[in-house]
């Protein structure tokens, strides 16, 4: 009996494991993609849009991503994207927000000053959709469609010069605001020598070109979201 009592007392004095507090799962990463035909992926399958390819690459790296939310339409200018955002009634905050807009302002011959005011307003909206976290907003430059078979029927040199002017403003504004700016325009100009970078409509990027954009973007975005 004495042995049993002694054993019970020693067992009661032994260390017991500390309770484990469960770690809540990280909420899924959300992505809002704002733009025009280059964001909605005119001429390619949905899975080949650059936001969709970026999402797939981030998932493969272990980041839990939900499907992108798009507010983008072929032909939209800065003004039309602003209206589209208003009509979409977005109230959520997103883990990542992208903005790529302006080519249709240039195509329609609108004054660059109109693009500048519209772009800046949209950038501020994008920051708001990211909960004020500027580090979670990315901007892509406008591609040069002047090198495509359709674009070459127009004034290729003028298109390039005007797109460069638009992009210079966007880059300077992003630098001022501390926003990541990805210059994908040089990649778009490679389409002059590589027809596989152009979609079957002979105007928009192919899935292969969008993949090249994602190659440029994904390392920085992965660092943002990790």
């Amino acid at each position: 009996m004495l042995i049993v009592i002694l054993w019970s007392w020693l067992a009661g004095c032994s260390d017991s494991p500390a309770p484990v507090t469960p770690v809540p799962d990280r909420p899924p990463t959300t992505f809002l993609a704002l733009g025009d035909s280059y964001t909605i992926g005119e001429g390619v399958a949905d899975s080949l849009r650059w936001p969709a390819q970026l999402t797939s690459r981030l998932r493969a790296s272990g980041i839990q991503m939900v499907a992108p939310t798009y507010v983008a339409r072929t032909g939209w200018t800065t003004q039309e994207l602003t209206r589209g955002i208003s009509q979409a009634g977005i109230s959520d905050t997103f883990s990542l927000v992208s903005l790529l807009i302006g080519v249709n302002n240039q195509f329609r011959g609108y004054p660059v000053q109109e693009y500048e005011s519209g772009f800046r307003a949209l950038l501020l909206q994008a920051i708001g959709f990211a909960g004020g976290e500027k580090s979670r907003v990315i901007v892509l430059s406008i591609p040069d469609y002047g090198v495509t078979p359709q674009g070459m029927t127009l004034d290729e040199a003028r298109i390039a010069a005007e797109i460069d002017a638009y992009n210079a403003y966007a880059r300077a504004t992003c630098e001022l605001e501390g926003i990541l700016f990805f210059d994908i325009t040089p990649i778009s100009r490679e389409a002059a020598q590589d027809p596989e970078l152009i979609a079957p409509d002979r105007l928009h990027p192919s899935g292969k070109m969008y993949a090249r954009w994602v190659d440029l973007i994904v390392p920085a975005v992965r660092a943002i979201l990790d």
Side-chain angles (χ1 to χ4, degrees):
M1 177 64 70
L2 180 61
I3 294 173
V4 171
I5 293 172
L6 181 60
W7 179 88
S8 299
W9 179 80
L10 289 172
C13 292
S14 64
D15 292 335
S16 57
V20 177
T21 303
V23 178
D25 291 335
R26 178 185 292 185
T29 301
T30 54
F31 179 14
L32 174 63
L34 306 173
D36 50 34
S37 59
Y38 295 127
T39 292
I40 205 65
E42 180 70 24
V44 301
D46 293 357
S47 62
L48 296 180
R49 299 166 173 171
W50 77 260
Q53 292 197 52
L54 177 60
T55 297
S56 295
R57 292 276 295 276
L58 292 171
R59 284 172 177 164
S61 71
I63 297 175
Q64 186 181 0
M65 297 282 297
V66 299
T69 297
Y70 293 92
V71 181
R73 185 172 298 175
T74 298
W76 269 0
T77 62
T78 50
Q79 300 94 322
E80 288 161 339
L81 176 55
T82 300
R83 287 198 294 270
I85 291 171
S86 178
Q87 291 168 1
I90 300 170
S91 58
D92 295 333
T93 297
F94 293 82
S95 312
L96 180 69
V97 182
S98 68
L99 177 63
L100 167 49
I101 195 67
V103 70
N104 295 295
N105 293 65
Q106 182 277 328
F107 180 76
R108 297 184 196 181
Y110 292 171
V112 67
Q113 293 81 6
E114 187 171 323
Y115 166 74
E116 290 172 355
S117 61
F119 174 83
R120 182 165 184 80
L122 285 164
L123 185 61
L124 293 176
Q125 282 191 288
I127 294 169
F129 289 135
E133 296 288 338
K134 293 183 178 182
S135 64
R136 294 182 176 270
V137 177
I138 64 172
V139 172
L140 279 64
S141 66
I142 302 168
D144 186 351
Y145 67 92
V147 302
T148 67
Q150 292 283 4
M152 286 179 181
T153 65
L154 306 171
D155 188 339
E156 184 179 346
R158 177 184 59 81
I159 292 168
E162 292 178 358
I163 284 176
D164 284 347
Y166 278 45
N167 285 332
Y169 174 80
R171 181 195 291 273
T173 303
C174 287
E175 289 176 353
L176 183 65
E177 294 291 342
I179 301 295
L180 274 175
F181 180 85
F182 294 97
D183 185 5
I184 54 79
T185 308
I187 298 173
S188 74
R189 287 175 172 152
E190 293 179 24
Q193 288 78 42
D194 185 356
E196 291 186 359
L197 296 178
I198 304 171
D201 67 5
R202 296 164 52 86
L203 178 62
H204 290 92
S206 67
K208 179 179 177 179
M209 184 189 291
Y210 286 138
R212 292 280 306 282
W213 296 7
V214 172
D215 288 341
L216 179 66
I217 295 167
V218 73
V221 171
R222 187 186 297 122
I224 291 169
L225 299 177
D226 277 345

